[in-house]
Amino acid sequence: MRILVLLGPPGAGKGTQAKRLEKAYGIVQLSTGDMLRAAVASGSALGQQAKDVMDAGRLMPDDIMTKIISDRVEQPDCANGFILDGFPRTRAQAEALDALLDGKGLALDKVIELKVVEQALVERISGRFACANCGAGYHDTFQPPKTPGVCDVCGSTEFKRRADDTAETVRARLAAYREQTAPILPYYRDKGILVEVDGMADIDEVTRQIEQLLNG
Ligand code: AMP
């Protein structure tokens, strides 16, 4: 069973790479951001809270996020393993994850840090969008659909942009990463499971680097 964490600031390419690893290794992507966006769309109480927090570029409380992940990993599709995309985001979440896995006799294989230059991220994030039907990710400049306005994967002509991908919210999200998430890198480095990948390389090259680290 393979259990991976993708770490890196918003716009580093975690979601893009997680989707590729999902296919390559037959393990499921667990994106806490996607789970919260689904809660917002459903109009639940959790969704209302998540909307306010996400729009402000802040983080949701640790206990709520830990509960979401501990419930999610019980699902049958996690039996082969999973890639955590967006969790953990704080030291408390990292420790809760270890306790959760430990209780199941499991452990993290690798934590993959996507290293990027922060100045590049605002442009990356503000240009991104996704197919409203299948979720395939695109970028206005770096990865437009082959036929403008048509999804390469499923042919849909409907696209969506994230509500929190605005320049102002991105700055708050980057600050949250610097202050609350980056401090967990030494935690994993000390355990000897942190590996670093150049997230500024092109998408295929990043995938190649990750696969090399996982297969090596
Ligand atoms: P993402 O799609 O990973 O960029 O997450 C979007 C937003 O969801 C973040 O800016 C946070 O507000 C919230 N969020 C996602 N995952 C977490 C987490 N593990 N802890 C706290 N907040 C989270």
Side-chain angles (χ1 to χ4, degrees), residues 30-37 39 46-47 49-50 60-75 78 84 87 100:
L30 303 185
S31 159
T32 43
D34 285 350
M35 294 174 205
L36 293 174
R37 283 183 283 280
L46 170 69
Q49 179 184 5
M60 289 287 282
D62 291 328
D63 54 343
I64 293 181
M65 299 314 298
T66 301
K67 174 81 168 65
I68 289 176
I69 282 295
S70 66
D71 289 347
R72 182 65 185 84
V73 299
E74 294 301 328
Q75 298 299 310
C78 292
L84 291 162
F87 184 96
L100 170 72

